[in-house]
Amino acid sequence: MRKQFRGVFTGVLFGLALSGTALAQGQTAFGPGEQARYRVHYLGVTAGTAQVTVGAPMKQWGKEVWPIVAVAKTDSVAGVWPIKDKFVSYWDFGAQRVLGSDMHEDENNRRRRVRVKLGEDGRSAHVVKQKEGETPREYDHELAEGTLDVAGATFALRNRALVVGGEYSYPVFTGSKSFLMKAKVEAKETLSTSLGKQEAYRMRVYTEFSGNLASKRDMVVWMTADARHLPVRIEADLALGSLVAELTGYEQGKAIAPAPAVASGTGN
């Protein structure tokens, strides 16, 4: 069972980057210091935790950004492969765009790093991949105009006025491949959560991750229907098994004045 955990928690990070950063809507509910904590279940068994934090402003590539940090780790349980992975997306709040990201993988004491820097024109990306103790490998990719990373697409999506039946799409680059991320709001439901009963939107999200992150069906995300759009539950059926993340704690960040919506993408 230990080997089955390899790559699965990386899937959690992408899932939480996809939904956890939904908190960044340019609304007053969002800001540095915001934190959401999740309990992760794999194949029906409690396997670990994940946390999404909006960090304090910092400089990255000469610009001031907010780091959106997602960390996932397994519990210290016999038979579970030790994993602690971190995904950081650098959000330029002023320009309402993501500048790039860093992925740090630590799985069974084997470490790897992937850095993605998006071009200013949104049509290119420079990628650096490095396994611990090995020489970095660098790649340049041409992208469709307006391409975002997963977190950036989510920022754009959450800037939209979500309605039941609404469909939305954004071009996404993962660091290895490009695809069109599609999301559809299927319904508004009452969901029991750690914060009590919540009115939530059920959203089906289509992605094209490959390998261990490949999904057998679309990811399903529930977000509160209030101004926070707080993700409270995520379900994913990955190549290595089913995974569920449920909210266990939430702390609101610094209030920030609304910002203009990101124009990229299409939707009803």
Side-chain angles (χ1 to χ4, degrees):
M1 182 176 179
R2 293 188 307 168
K3 290 185 178 180
Q4 289 180 310
F5 276 83
R6 297 182 64 181
V8 170
F9 267 55
T10 304
V12 176
L13 291 188
F14 277 110
L16 290 177
L18 178 62
S19 58
T21 52
L23 303 176
Q25 304 174 70
Q27 296 182 1
T28 55
F30 166 80
E34 189 159 55
Q35 187 175 96
R37 296 178 294 278
Y38 299 83
R39 172 61 61 181
V40 180
H41 306 270
Y42 174 61
L43 296 177
V45 178
T46 300
T49 59
Q51 180 172 293
V52 181
T53 303
V54 182
M58 59 174 281
K59 287 287 186 178
Q60 178 70 323
W61 296 308
K63 296 185 178 180
E64 186 171 280
V65 300
W66 296 352
I68 310 297
V69 184
V71 176
K73 60 182 180 180
T74 54
D75 289 339
S76 299
V77 178
V80 176
W81 202 293
I83 293 173
K84 184 175 181 180
D85 290 346
K86 180 169 72 172
F87 179 76
V88 185
S89 188
Y90 302 106
W91 174 248
D92 183 341
F93 181 72
Q96 290 285 285
R97 66 185 292 263
V98 166
L99 302 184
S101 63
D102 280 313
M103 180 71 192
H104 303 267
E105 295 180 359
D106 185 344
E107 302 182 355
N108 198 33
N109 297 317
R110 294 181 180 180
R111 299 175 178 86
R112 185 174 81 111
R113 178 179 178 180
V114 179
R115 164 164 284 188
V116 177
K117 182 180 180 182
L118 298 177
E120 290 284 347
D121 59 1
R123 297 182 179 181
S124 63
H126 184 70
V127 180
V128 181
K129 299 182 179 181
Q130 183 178 21
K131 293 182 179 180
E132 188 175 45
E134 297 185 9
T135 302
R137 295 172 295 156
E138 301 191 27
Y139 311 86
D140 288 304
H141 295 261
E142 293 185 2
L143 307 175
E145 185 175 2
T147 294
L148 305 165
D149 67 6
V150 175
T154 304
F155 280 111
L157 176 62
R158 302 310 179 229
N159 269 332
R160 305 295 289 268
L162 302 178
V163 295
V164 175
E167 298 184 20
Y168 313 87
S169 62
Y170 295 91
V172 166
F173 179 62
T174 67
S176 299
K177 65 178 297 184
S178 298
F179 64 87
L180 190 66
M181 188 190 84
K182 302 176 184 177
K184 181 176 181 178
V185 180
E186 295 185 319
K188 182 185 288 187
E189 302 174 338
T190 300
L191 198 68
S192 295
T193 75
S194 62
L195 304 181
K197 290 187 176 181
Q198 300 283 329
E199 288 293 312
Y201 287 118
R202 185 182 74 230
M203 179 176 293
R204 189 167 298 273
V205 181
Y206 168 79
T207 65
E208 290 183 6
F209 294 126
S210 58
N212 291 337
L213 301 184
S215 58
K216 297 179 181 179
R217 63 181 177 88
D218 296 340
M219 182 182 298
V220 182
V221 179
W222 283 263
M223 302 187 312
T224 57
D226 57 18
R228 298 173 304 165
H229 285 183
L230 177 65
V232 292
R233 183 179 175 89
I234 302 155
E235 294 182 359
D237 226 350
L238 305 179
L240 295 183
S242 61
L243 183 149
V244 176
E246 295 181 301
L247 183 75
T248 59
Y250 172 70
E251 297 173 10
Q252 187 166 313
K254 181 182 178 181
I256 300 295
V262 176
S264 298
T266 60
N268 295 337

